[in-house]
Amino acid sequence: MTQAPRGPVHVTGEVLASKRVGAYWHLTLVAPGVPERFRPGTFVALSTGPGRIARRAMWIHRIKPTGGYGATIELVVEPVGPGTEWLVGLPVGARLEVTGPLGRPWAMPKESVSCVLVGEGYAAASLFPLAERLRERECAVTLVVAGADEAHLLSALEARRSARAVTVVTGDGSIGRHGAVADVIKEVLDQARAEVVYAAGPPATLHAVAAAAEQAGAWSQTALEAPMPCATGLCQGCAVPVVGEDGVGRMVRACTDGPVFRGDRVRWDDLEAPA
Amino acid sequence: MSVVLAVDLAGLTLPNPVLVASGCGGTGRELAGFGAFDGLGGFVTRSITVGARPGGDAPRIVETPSGLVNAVGMQNPGIDHFLATELPWLAQRQVPVFVSIVGRSLGEYAELARRLGRSPGVAGIEVNLSAPDAPGTQVFDVREPFHAASVVAAVSRDLPRGMPILAKIRSDVVRVVESARTVLDAGAGAVVVGNALPASMPDGRPGGLSGPAIRPLVLRCVTEVHAEVPEAQIVASGGIVDAHDVRAFLGAGATAVQVGTALLHDPITATRLVAELGEDR
């Protein structure tokens, strides 16, 4: 087996497709060098037009082989501000600067274990390629897909193909169970006899999952989302309070030291309520 | 044919006039991951303090038109950790390393100078005399040029003879000529003009504005310092993005430039600038 190339690249990408699904846009990009370096949990940083200096970090949702272009990356974008609105407005063929894949990926279990994957909103994007890899390792995969409403539920149909069991949770009860991840997580972990829990979503959700995992005696990994001005480890703008292996608290970078952290290493209270 | 880019700065010969600005190049390793470290004209570390600093609260950096406002709070691991874990890697490269220092007192500046001055791999010291939020970050307040001069003098006394000091002053058009003259008289080999400018975060906390938004201000400052203190060696820093910007600053009298915020947008900016400057025009 040949060694996969390592490290991120900074390239000019091209929009191959842009499709709206519910509240999100699925953006397919040609970004030479990125697909072969991808591992589930990594992300890309995008430039979003003149005058906007900060990058926009986006989870890589999947790698797709595409005839004539080599492999492409698919991102899930929720237009929430001028940068993301610029992104979803890009026509097919538009060019943009892409840096990636960035960040530490999800850590894979060495053995076949029972895994629960929890994704809320567009952050669930990084869990689908993870589910595939886990199934290749013969891990039992249980998915929890959550969102504010049906429009903010990512790929719930696909989830049913990727996992042994799927729980759908919406804030308004429009589909699946009514409530939040925190309301269902204990039950899901118990039913799955989870040994490893992976979670991506807002900090409050990650905190709830990490706490439930701790109680259930499972390892948890959480993918943190912080605004990342550079996303490459240069600026120290995306600080995350953690407790190190040595028991000492410190601030680390979500982009480079994360975005995936062990759930029991993050100082959630400091993260959610900065002084 | 390629062009010879080497420049003499404060008694050193740099391979080219493009340096990485303090606080925008991480530890250096992050740039190296993109192949964007070797070949630089120089690397300035983030500002190092005597003790570790955890940095400020979130959000630390926000976008503003053509710029960023930051309140990172000078997060750094402190001099001990820097010497043990970051400098050795930097020292093994061929890129001249300038360690940026900041202190809460003249005594701290002197201590930093003493320890760095005898560390292999340090080409020079950049003294940060222009933190955009000095009171909030509890660093020695250098609001008046004579304060800045006292810092430079203190650092100078504790450095080995011949180790250059770059004094990073504020690109405040009203005071910049006086500041430059004063720090040069106190022993600085060159002035860096300048830092992020004092600004406000959206929530009212003090921060620093950087990026192309401040470039015209910095160009004015460089022009004035060059006109009034023609013997001064100037390193221009503020909103440099492309080779045209570099040539504009060199044309205004700068000896070298520092690239900062642009690296956060595109980590290979400085490397690309070196290549572009080297192409025959």
Side-chain angles (χ1 to χ4, degrees):
Chain A
M1 202 174 112
T2 51
Q3 185 87 30
R6 296 173 63 99
V9 293
H10 181 82
V11 294
T12 301
E14 184 185 330
V15 178
L16 197 61
S18 179
K19 189 176 103 183
R20 183 173 188 165
V21 183
Y24 306 131
W25 292 73
H26 291 234
L27 219 58
T28 304
L29 302 181
V30 181
V34 178
E36 52 267 45
R37 292 171 166 81
F38 167 76
R39 288 158 78 188
T42 56
F43 63 94
V44 291
L46 307 174
S47 299
T48 60
R52 279 190 285 271
I53 305 292
R55 308 301 297 282
R56 301 298 189 275
M58 301 288 156
W59 298 114
I60 300 174
H61 185 33
R62 75 182 104 212
I63 302 294
K64 288 191 296 196
T66 310
Y69 292 95
T72 59
I73 56 173
E74 184 178 317
L75 314 174
V76 180
V77 182
E78 179 175 24
V80 290
T84 41
E85 276 158 17
W86 183 90
L87 278 175
V88 304
L90 286 177
V92 168
R95 289 170 170 269
L96 74 167
E97 299 302 302
V98 181
T99 313
L102 296 163
R104 283 175 196 264
W106 299 108
M108 305 296 287
K110 289 189 176 65
E111 292 152 20
S112 148
V113 292
S114 171
C115 301
V116 170
L117 280 53
V118 183
E120 180 167 335
Y122 59 84
S126 80
L127 295 174
F128 290 87
L130 171 67
E132 268 175 47
R133 299 281 170 100
L134 289 171
R135 286 198 315 167
E136 286 166 16
R137 295 183 181 219
E138 296 173 348
C139 293
V141 174
T142 302
L143 264 171
V144 179
V145 186
D149 51 33
E150 189 173 0
H152 291 83
L153 213 52
L154 184 70
S155 309
L157 271 178
E158 189 190 337
R160 301 200 185 280
R161 289 199 300 270
S162 312
R164 176 175 294 185
V166 179
T167 304
V168 171
V169 189
T170 51
D172 67 352
S174 53
I175 183 170
R177 295 180 54 174
H178 183 210
V181 167
D183 304 328
V184 305
I185 185 65
K186 184 180 184 312
E187 182 189 325
V188 172
L189 296 185
D190 288 346
Q191 271 180 9
R193 298 171 187 271
E195 290 159 275
V196 182
V197 186
Y198 298 90
T205 299
L206 301 184
H207 188 178
V209 172
E214 184 101 27
Q215 276 194 340
W219 291 101
S220 67
Q221 292 196 43
T222 54
L224 280 177
E225 281 199 349
M228 295 174 183
C230 75
T232 50
L234 299 174
C235 78
Q236 305 195 97
C238 57
V240 176
V242 299
V243 180
E245 300 275 345
D246 50 8
V248 177
R250 54 175 66 93
M251 302 296 281
V252 298
R253 299 161 296 184
C255 66
T256 314
D257 303 302
V260 174
F261 292 97
R262 265 174 58 176
D264 58 344
R265 291 277 181 230
V266 179
R267 285 146 51 201
W268 296 104
D269 293 330
D270 294 337
L271 182 75
E272 288 166 73
Chain B
M1 234 184 85
S2 66
V3 182
V4 174
L5 295 177
V7 292
D8 289 327
L9 180 73
L12 293 175
T13 301
L14 307 183
N16 64 70
V18 181
L19 289 78
V20 167
S22 179
C24 297
T27 62
R29 288 181 174 95
E30 297 84 356
L31 289 176
F34 291 93
F37 187 85
D38 295 328
L40 293 171
F43 179 82
V44 186
T45 69
R46 63 200 189 290
S47 288
I48 302 296
T49 48
V50 171
R53 290 178 59 100
D57 295 331
R60 288 179 165 192
I61 299 184
V62 296
E63 195 172 56
T64 190
S66 292
L68 297 175
V69 184
N70 90 80
V72 170
M74 295 194 284
Q75 180 180 344
N76 81 93
I79 184 74
D80 289 332
H81 193 271
F82 171 78
L83 291 175
T85 66
E86 294 184 22
L87 186 59
W89 183 88
L90 291 167
Q92 283 169 10
R93 322 298 288 202
Q94 300 300 312
V95 176
V97 173
F98 297 86
V99 180
S100 171
I101 59 172
V102 73
R104 289 173 299 190
S105 63
L106 291 176
E108 285 196 350
Y109 276 107
E111 180 183 345
L112 290 164
R114 208 156 41 236
R115 299 193 57 191
L116 288 164
R118 52 172 192 244
S119 298
V122 178
I125 300 294
E126 182 176 280
V127 186
N128 182 353
L129 300 169
S130 43
D133 176 27
T137 44
Q138 283 135 33
V139 306
F140 186 72
D141 197 343
V142 288
R143 199 172 314 171
E144 294 300 321
F146 72 85
H147 290 134
S150 62
V151 172
V152 172
V155 169
S156 178
R157 266 194 301 276
D158 277 287
L159 281 184
R161 185 179 294 274
M163 180 173 281
I165 299 173
L166 312 183
K168 188 167 184 175
I169 60 177
R170 183 168 297 152
S171 36
D172 165 1
V173 179
V174 178
R175 305 296 294 272
V176 73
V177 169
E178 184 190 1
S179 297
R181 199 174 266 138
T182 317
V183 295
L184 290 165
D185 285 348
V191 285
V192 181
V193 178
N195 212 315
L197 284 167
S200 212
M201 297 287 280
D203 58 13
R205 285 177 298 150
L209 172 64
S210 66
I214 70 168
R215 187 168 59 222
L217 289 166
V218 180
L219 186 58
R220 170 79 181 271
C221 288
V222 170
T223 304
E224 299 224 346
V225 172
H226 182 61
E228 300 293 325
V229 197
E231 70 278 15
Q233 281 203 309
I234 305 167
V235 181
S237 174
I240 291 168
V241 172
D242 58 29
H244 176 266
D245 301 332
V246 178
R247 292 188 182 111
F249 277 105
L250 298 181
T255 300
V257 300
Q258 292 183 353
V259 180
T261 303
L263 288 167
L264 309 183
H265 183 76
D266 172 352
I268 62 177
T269 305
T271 306
R272 196 176 53 237
L273 291 181
V274 173
E276 286 176 10
L277 292 173
E279 285 165 13
D280 211 8
R281 277 176 296 148

